[in-house]
Amino acid sequence: MDFKDLIKDLKNRQFKPIYLLHGEESYYIDKISDFIEDNVLSDAEKGFNQSVFYGKDSDIMSILNAAKRYPMMSDFQVILVKEAQELKWGKDGEDDKKAPDPLLAYFENPLPSTILVFCFRHAKFDKRKKTYKAIEKKGIIFESASLNDNKISAWIENFVRDKGYNIQAQASALMAEYLGNDLSKVSNELEKLMLNVKLGQEINTTDIQNNIGISKDYNVFELQNAISRKDAFKANQIINYFAENPKNNPIFLVLGNLNSYFSKILKVHYASDKSPQGLARELGVAPFFVKDFEIAARAYNKEKVFRIISYLRECDLKVKGVEASGNTEQGDLMKELLFKIIH
């Protein structure tokens, strides 16, 4: 079920007796779990009718015994099982007929007045299991998949729009590159940012620099622009800034971003549809950024791009200590890499 549809049903008090929330991305799992915990029962009802278990410290029978209770002075009781991936799930219905699996038996015939929620974070529940199929039949299964890196920028734009703000494409892309696809981390940074920006205002790169700590002048996008123009002076300025601020600009992040950047340039060379719309689809970027990649593709032919990707891998191995680099500082490694890229 879609996240918004699930929340809509919960708001309309259309409950199911079992919810399995699972997947690699914890953001939506936590959002759904928090909504159920905060809104299904009134404060007066929660004392007798809401229980929270943690998988590592709980067992199936304790959870089932709680689930089989009837609510007190309420239409429902809520049982939340957090970190359910740590729970010992039993034999999944494989016991003999004299000792049927109690978990499967409950899932096949759950108590309608109990709302039992399993939060299976950073992992997928095995869809081949009988328990999965039983939940699918009687309850709701929500899978929270990781968002692809090329979709984070659009996610950021939708997030701030839902909060009544707008954000510049450059600013959302900058945040996406630096914060990655951990939606909980991204949303936390956005929430802090919006506390310092007036409602309805367009968020720009200056706001991000002032509130998140990502420099609007010395960042990976400015590095990419300098490289695409073969501006060695500006590129070295940025590399020096990264070396002086390694906490905010870790070399692994820089190398990963440059690898992604040159991989996209390679796609420009091989794209069958080189129209702005076609390249935007191929690269997974907003049309706003297509021109920058076209400029870079003219500066670096296919053969050079292949060599650059090889240089990036060599540098990555040196940083990790797989290939000897002596006592070379990471800043010096980046300068050496930059020279190889531009020349």
Side-chain angles (χ1 to χ4, degrees):
M1 177 178 276
D2 176 81
F3 170 76
K4 289 185 178 180
D5 289 338
L6 200 161
I7 294 295
K8 181 180 178 181
D9 282 354
L10 291 172
K11 286 181 177 178
N12 291 331
R13 302 191 67 79
Q14 297 175 7
F15 304 130
K16 293 289 186 178
I18 310 170
Y19 290 84
L20 171 61
L21 315 175
H22 72 130
E24 300 294 339
E25 174 53 66
S26 65
Y27 175 78
Y28 289 111
I29 294 172
D30 293 340
K31 282 290 184 182
I32 296 167
S33 172
D34 289 346
F35 186 90
I36 292 173
E37 185 172 3
D38 295 339
N39 296 284
V40 170
L41 301 178
S42 68
D43 290 339
E45 292 172 325
K46 288 176 183 177
F48 292 106
N49 298 291
Q50 186 156 290
S51 303
V52 178
F53 293 86
Y54 290 87
K56 190 175 181 179
D57 303 318
S58 306
D59 61 86
I60 287 296
M61 290 312 300
S62 296
I63 295 168
L64 288 181
N65 288 335
K68 291 176 182 178
R69 293 197 302 258
Y70 287 95
M72 294 181 62
M73 296 177 287
S74 173
D75 293 330
F76 298 98
Q77 71 155 339
V78 173
I79 308 294
L80 292 159
V81 185
K82 300 187 176 184
E83 306 295 342
Q85 72 279 0
E86 302 285 348
L87 192 64
K88 293 181 180 179
W89 286 81
K91 297 184 178 181
D92 193 49
E94 295 178 3
D95 294 349
D96 59 45
K97 293 182 179 178
K98 293 183 180 179
D101 179 2
L103 183 63
L104 180 61
Y106 181 82
F107 286 171
E108 290 176 338
N109 189 29
L111 198 65
S113 57
T114 292
I115 300 170
L116 177 57
V117 184
F118 291 97
C119 303
F120 208 87
R121 300 170 79 248
H122 303 301
K124 293 182 181 180
F125 197 89
D126 190 343
K127 297 180 181 180
R128 298 168 297 178
K129 287 181 173 289
K130 294 178 181 178
T131 43
Y132 182 93
K133 292 176 171 56
I135 297 172
E136 193 173 36
K137 187 175 181 180
K138 295 288 187 176
I140 290 290
I141 295 177
F142 175 85
E143 182 176 344
S144 185
S146 294
L147 208 60
N148 291 335
D149 290 342
N150 61 7
K151 294 183 178 179
I152 300 298
S153 183
W155 188 91
I156 290 171
E157 291 170 10
N158 289 330
F159 183 93
V160 299
R161 192 179 300 117
D162 288 343
K163 300 286 186 178
Y165 295 82
N166 288 309
I167 186 169
Q168 291 178 351
Q170 182 79 7
S172 64
L174 182 61
M175 287 191 67
E177 286 289 341
Y178 270 88
L179 299 178
N181 66 349
D182 183 338
L183 298 186
S184 295
K185 179 180 179 181
V186 174
S187 65
N188 286 339
E189 292 295 340
L190 286 169
E191 294 283 3
K192 288 189 291 184
L193 173 61
M194 287 184 287
L195 289 174
N196 296 295
V197 177
K198 291 181 180 179
L199 185 64
Q201 182 177 325
E202 184 176 58
I203 297 167
N204 56 38
T205 54
T206 301
D207 295 319
I208 290 173
Q209 178 179 8
N210 293 339
N211 295 284
I212 298 180
I214 303 171
S215 171
K216 68 182 180 68
D217 296 314
Y218 298 97
N219 59 65
V220 71
F221 282 111
E222 293 303 320
L223 177 61
Q224 291 169 2
N225 288 335
I227 289 172
S228 70
R229 300 191 307 270
K230 296 194 173 182
D231 185 344
F233 178 76
K234 179 63 176 178
N236 275 292
Q237 278 188 318
I238 297 170
I239 290 299
N240 289 332
Y241 178 84
F242 287 174
E244 293 169 2
N245 300 273
K247 185 177 179 181
N248 292 330
N249 306 277
I251 191 169
F252 293 114
L253 174 64
V254 177
L255 292 175
N257 286 330
L258 288 178
N259 186 72
S260 175
Y261 177 67
F262 280 101
S263 296
K264 286 183 172 70
I265 295 172
L266 201 58
K267 287 183 178 181
V268 173
H269 284 298
Y270 284 99
S272 55
D273 181 359
K274 294 188 184 296
S275 68
Q277 295 78 12
L279 286 176
R281 286 193 299 271
E282 180 68 29
L283 303 179
V285 300
F288 175 85
F289 295 104
V290 167
K291 187 177 180 180
D292 294 336
F293 286 102
E294 290 176 322
I295 292 171
R298 287 194 291 270
Y300 299 91
N301 61 34
K302 287 184 286 188
E303 291 74 19
K304 179 65 173 179
V305 175
F306 277 117
R307 289 201 300 274
I308 289 170
I309 291 174
S310 177
Y311 298 151
L312 289 165
R313 290 173 180 168
E314 288 173 5
C315 186
D316 182 63
L317 291 173
K318 288 179 181 178
V319 173
K320 293 175 179 175
V322 177
E323 289 189 1
S325 60
N327 294 319
T328 308
E329 295 288 337
Q330 291 187 1
D332 293 331
L333 286 175
M334 285 299 301
K335 289 177 184 178
E336 178 188 350
L337 172 66
L338 193 59
F339 182 87
K340 289 180 179 179
I341 290 174
I342 292 179
H343 295 88

